Amino acid sequence: MKKIRNSSTTTTTGGGGATTAMRVIVPLQGVVQGRGGLFLGSVIPCALFYFLQLYLKGRGGRKSGEPPAPPESSPSETHLREVSTLQRVHSRLLLSPRGTSGPAQVSSRANAIAKQADGTYCVGLKRAADDPYDEMNNPDGVIQLGLAENRLSLDMVQEWLADNTRESIISQDLSISGIAAYQSFDGLMELKVVVAEFMSQVIEKPQFFNPAQIVLTAGATPAIEILSFCLADPGNAFLVPSPYNPDLDRDVKWRAGVEIVPVPCRSADNFSLSTTALDRAFNQAKKRGLKVRGMIISNPSNPVGVLYNREMLYSLLDFATEKNIHIISNEVFAGSTHGSEEFVSMAEIIDTEDYDRGRVHIIYGLSKDISLPGYGIGVIYTFNENVLSAAKKLARFSPVSAPTQRLLVSMLSHTKFIQRFIKINRERVRRMYILFAGGLKLLGIECIKSNGGFYCWADMSSLIRSYSEKGELELWENLLNVAKVNATPGSSCHCVEPGWFRLCFSTLREKDIPVVIERIRKISETCISRS
Amino acid sequence: MAIEIEKPAVGLSKVAVSDTHGEYSPYFAGWKAYDENPYDELWNSSGVIQMGLAENQVSFDLLEQYLEKHSEATNWGNRTSGFRDNALFQDYHGLQSFRKAMASFMEQIRGGRAKFNPDRIVITAGATAANELLTFILADPGDALLIPTPYYPGFDRDLRWRTGVKIVPVHCDSSNNFEITPQALDAAYNEAESHNIKVKGVLITNPSNPLGATIKRSTLEEILEFVTRKNIHLVSDEIYSGSTFSGEEFVSVAEVLEARDYKESDRVHIVYSLSKDLGLPGFRVGTIYSYNDKVVTTARRMSSFTLISSQTQQLLASMLSDRTFTENYIKTNRERLKKRHQMIIDGLKNSGIECLKGNAGLFCWMNLSPLLEEPTKESELTLWKSMLHEVKLNISPGSSCHCSDPGWFRVCFANMSEQTLQVALTRIHNFMDRRKAMKSSPDFSSY
């Protein structure tokens, strides 16, 4: 009995794989057990399952939802190397292959995460962090185009902090007991009030956001995870238009155990979402026995950078109503719109139309719009009383530290500073977008016309040798190792068409753009000459 | 004319609708009573005194002084590169300087008797998150952790709610001062097995909450022997390690491991936080220290869900690497807690109330079992209610800590001023006097 259970749990390879594994192994074991006993009953199904996995991988693992294996050693191995050089540290085996015998096992959840070789997304980020480009000191370093963090306006924030930090933390009427003592986990009310105001300032509309519907968390990542825990049970699914932000795989699957069913969008439609595709994905999920509990859209979208117009939002709400599911609208880039198109928040639609509010939830955060990644604040904005109540309690696992909250209350209350910041930041994002997309165009690389976010979704398929995921990854490697440019390949975003890359320009300065363009040009010549 | 069919409201998950958050239990109900009628020396001297909150306010002044003197710790604007490092991509590794400072602080608390490697430190937004995270890593839904009773009521929520992991209690009782015995551990393990529940680890709190006492070295060794024999994990929650009244009495599992050259250490994980020792719960700083590489790597990745802002890390890195400050703080804090503890023990003794002999923590474990009508949980809750509504003291009943002996209560003494504590003691004294009077009066057959 025990042995069967053990082998079932140790052969899972991924969150989604677990249930399918069980479905294959258990009946097989039953069959084999009759003839071959316990031992064969375990070994044969495991072996079959192992070969099945190999077969699936060979067919092109994109469908399995796992990012492709990286070309280099995973950061976890590097980490272990670092650790083992330190004195007086535990000798023993570092990574037992499956952990079946020997040291106490960790959970299959943990095993799946640990084994998951870091995808191209993380590998690239690490390489850029380890060997960062610097005009003076490291001109051959890796230029980071894989990080959607806004460094364009750090100077303004820095200036404000230099002038204001100390008072905001220790002021005469605010003793340390005010900031150090326990507060409610979902954030100070004063902060929620100014965050609500900021949310409407940033979309430049008099849209009212109710502070009482806000839950603050330590970043948008836990905000998405908390909603996943509230809206779906493990094994349920969310529909997500692809290509989508690679982080979502972690946020939704790792601990909440919710599956993502991608809804593919195509270049022919400018990667816009169609309800036909949504419907198809929903039905396919149903056939696979997956219960769809909701959909997650990002608006402005990441990685494509387009906005959802009113009509589209209405159809999404209609769809959600028809299927009785939730909608999570991730609006973290709402303040980084730079085109001529109008940004419409879900909040606006809910206000003006008669939909069931209980199914709508908005994610926001302060790290994209206001250049504060290390100060991560995430916002869950929900219209559902029960979700609000549960999320407030769950925020205890990801709370924002009090001094940071005080600082932000202060900063966001400085209306003049915030107004100036929003205006200038937007101008800078717009300018960088135009320069960058323009530079790429000179190389014959077209981008989807973007109205928001700080990245270009570029079609680099002309540079790839074979029109396939393999070809795309070769280009990614080339870009990283030869051109020394870290870009995010479409495959890690689950894009169904090979050759698309997300290139973030928000960590560059204007003068870095020609350098980037030149580096890409150099390898594009070698790519074209090869094909 | 179509008849409107009411569509079912859009569904929520089991996690969202479960009440594993425990906010209906007496532990939290007491807090509500306090919130509605909080004691204030000047404005509400008949209000409820909060003695159910394990917070350390006795050494705030030391922190305030430090921050006044070292304003550069709070000011990042001037140090250009500092700010850039600060605000950049939030790497889940955490600032090196902060991890180093935490490791050094943890060493100081243990009097240098154990070494901590900064690279084994994983930072989380509080010990609550750290405990939950470890549970996700060590156990699957349906598995169990063994936890000696009485234990912190929050564990029922923190370790079970989202993780789906069960808690199987290891029963300890007053017959041997609630010490953990190998028999009790075995009994709990077998209990779990008999229900086909897979035990993945043991979680101890050392110093113990709610007992307010450190775990003996020999007991730690027995526990280590047990987990090794069963090939399971050991989590040692040491968040009160800096709140021992004397430095020498606390033995960390880290010391025991170091003494045996780290044999079998990759099953051991330590949780720490600055909320109790430094009195900074609002900062939300927790750490996991694991001797297991896989756990460190996985925990680190998972910490993306519970990061500490770089601003806070920077501030604390400065403060905790200042040895003059930390040595003085640790020493002074211990002395003040000891004094406070003595005050409450003496006060209770004068009222005829005994407590478990304690040597750590922000609370004492008070024995009110002689006051119970019957040795039952119901009787205990009746007594708790009268303490709350009549005496206007919020204390935590042992049953909410899963204590098998009824009549024990946890009473916190560090989250208020000395004057307030005195008022509380006076109220208890009066309460006890009234009871004596009532008992000796023939008109009252029952309390």
Side-chain angles (χ1 to χ4, degrees), chain A residues 280-356:
Chain A
R280 195 182 312 130
F282 184 90
N283 294 329
Q284 281 174 351
K286 212 169 165 191
K287 279 206 198 92
R288 282 165 57 193
L290 280 177
K291 185 158 195 254
V292 173
R293 301 301 293 268
M295 72 172 101
I296 306 180
I297 60 165
S298 59
N299 179 23
S301 65
N302 179 3
V304 183
V306 293
L307 304 181
Y308 283 74
N309 62 29
R310 259 201 193 85
E311 288 65 43
M312 190 65 226
L313 292 174
Y314 291 148
S315 4
L316 291 182
L317 276 164
D318 286 333
F319 179 82
T321 308
E322 186 201 320
K323 306 293 184 194
N324 197 18
I325 61 176
H326 294 271
I327 297 191
I328 299 176
S329 179
N330 184 345
E331 302 184 354
V332 291
F333 288 102
S336 304
T337 50
H338 51 73
S340 46
E341 209 181 303
E342 177 203 15
F343 172 72
V344 182
S345 165
M346 261 306 175
E348 195 183 320
I349 305 286
I350 280 290
D351 262 1
T352 51
E353 299 296 318
D354 190 25
Y355 288 104
D356 173 14

Side-chain angles (χ1 to χ4, degrees), chain A residues 2 5-6 9 75-76 79-80 82-83 86 88-96 98-99 102-111 113-114 116 118 125 147 149 151 154-155 157-158 161-162 165-166 169-170 175-177 179-185 218 221-222 225-226 228-233 250-251 254-255 293 321-326 356 358-359 371-376 384 386-387 390 393-394 396-404 407, chain B residues 7-16 21 23 28 53-55 57 60 63-64 67-68 71 74-80 83-84 86-90 92-93 115 117 119-120 125 128-129 132-133 135-141 157-158 161-165 189 193 196-198 200 231-233 258 261-262 264-267 275-276 279-284 291-298 300-302 304-312 315:
Chain A
K2 220 174 173 181
R5 217 170 358 141
N6 274 345
T9 46
S76 55
H79 163 79
L80 293 171
E82 293 165 46
V83 165
L86 290 146
R88 264 198 130 178
V89 177
H90 353 304
S91 52
R92 283 187 78 180
L93 74 153
L94 300 184
L95 245 189
S96 72
R98 300 233 170 197
Q105 291 179 61
V106 293
S107 64
S108 25
R109 259 187 290 233
N111 269 324
I113 295 169
Q116 180 186 7
D118 278 0
L125 286 176
L147 201 53
E149 302 293 4
R151 295 192 199 165
L154 270 187
D155 59 322
V157 179
Q158 189 178 336
L161 284 173
T165 304
R166 194 163 175 273
I169 297 188
I170 318 279
S175 72
I176 192 171
S177 32
I179 51 156
Y182 273 115
Q183 265 116 20
S184 69
F185 290 101
T221 297
E225 193 196 37
I226 287 174
S228 304
F229 269 111
C230 289
L231 306 181
D233 292 313
R250 169 198 63 194
D251 300 347
W254 273 21
R255 304 193 307 182
R293 301 301 293 268
T321 308
E322 186 201 320
K323 306 293 184 194
N324 197 18
I325 61 176
H326 294 271
D356 173 14
R359 65 177 84 256
S371 293
L372 286 174
Y375 290 58
N384 185 314
N386 297 320
V387 173
K393 299 184 180 90
L394 289 171
R396 73 184 340 103
F397 297 110
S398 321
V400 186
S401 81
T404 304
L407 186 78
Chain B
K7 278 209 125 174
V10 65
L12 298 186
S13 67
K14 295 193 185 81
V15 164
H21 50 73
E23 287 191 11
F28 298 106
L53 182 57
E55 217 182 75
Q57 292 179 10
F60 261 156
L63 291 165
E64 271 169 326
L67 287 167
E68 288 289 318
S71 52
T74 60
N75 189 349
W76 300 267
N78 288 335
R79 296 192 339 247
T80 329
F83 176 72
R84 284 205 159 250
N86 229 350
L88 297 189
F89 175 49
Q90 178 80 110
Y92 49 49
H93 281 79
K115 287 260 166 306
N117 174 356
D119 288 329
R120 292 200 165 278
T128 299
E132 191 203 34
L133 208 151
T135 307
F136 271 120
I137 291 179
L138 303 179
D140 282 310
R157 167 200 60 210
D158 300 344
W161 193 4
R162 300 194 294 186
T163 61
V165 172
Y189 189 91
E193 268 213 309
N196 270 328
I197 297 172
K198 196 163 200 270
K200 294 309 288 276
N231 195 20
I232 58 180
H233 295 272
E258 191 161 311
D261 222 11
Y262 298 106
E264 294 289 335
S265 61
D266 55 6
R267 62 182 75 257
S275 304
K276 310 295 181 184
L280 292 175
F283 276 51
R284 315 283 192 230
Y291 295 91
N292 181 314
D293 296 328
K294 194 180 207 174
V295 173
V296 172
T297 311
T298 312
R300 196 159 272 156
R301 293 171 184 201
M302 247 192 221
S304 308
F305 295 111
T306 181
L307 297 171
I308 304 178
S309 76
S310 29
Q311 169 204 14
T312 302
L315 170 55

Side-chain angles (χ1 to χ4, degrees), chain A residues 2 22 43 84 134 170 186 222 313 385 442 455 465 492:
Chain A
K2 220 174 173 181
M22 296 292 209
V43 166
S84 58
D134 183 286
I170 318 279
D186 56 307
L313 292 174
E385 283 305 314
L442 291 177
Y455 31 77
R465 214 159 15 137
S492 50

Side-chain angles (χ1 to χ4, degrees), chain B residues 127-188:
Chain B
T128 299
N131 280 318
E132 191 203 34
L133 208 151
L134 267 179
T135 307
F136 271 120
I137 291 179
L138 303 179
D140 282 310
D143 291 343
L145 292 178
L146 301 183
I147 305 189
T149 65
Y151 62 77
Y152 164 56
F155 280 157
D156 289 324
R157 167 200 60 210
D158 300 344
L159 307 179
R160 300 184 317 161
W161 193 4
R162 300 194 294 186
T163 61
V165 172
K166 303 188 203 296
I167 293 178
V168 173
V170 178
H171 296 289
C172 305
D173 57 58
S174 50
S175 63
N176 70 339
N177 287 327
F178 297 96
E179 278 170 21
I180 306 164
T181 64
Q183 294 79 4
L185 284 167
D186 268 311

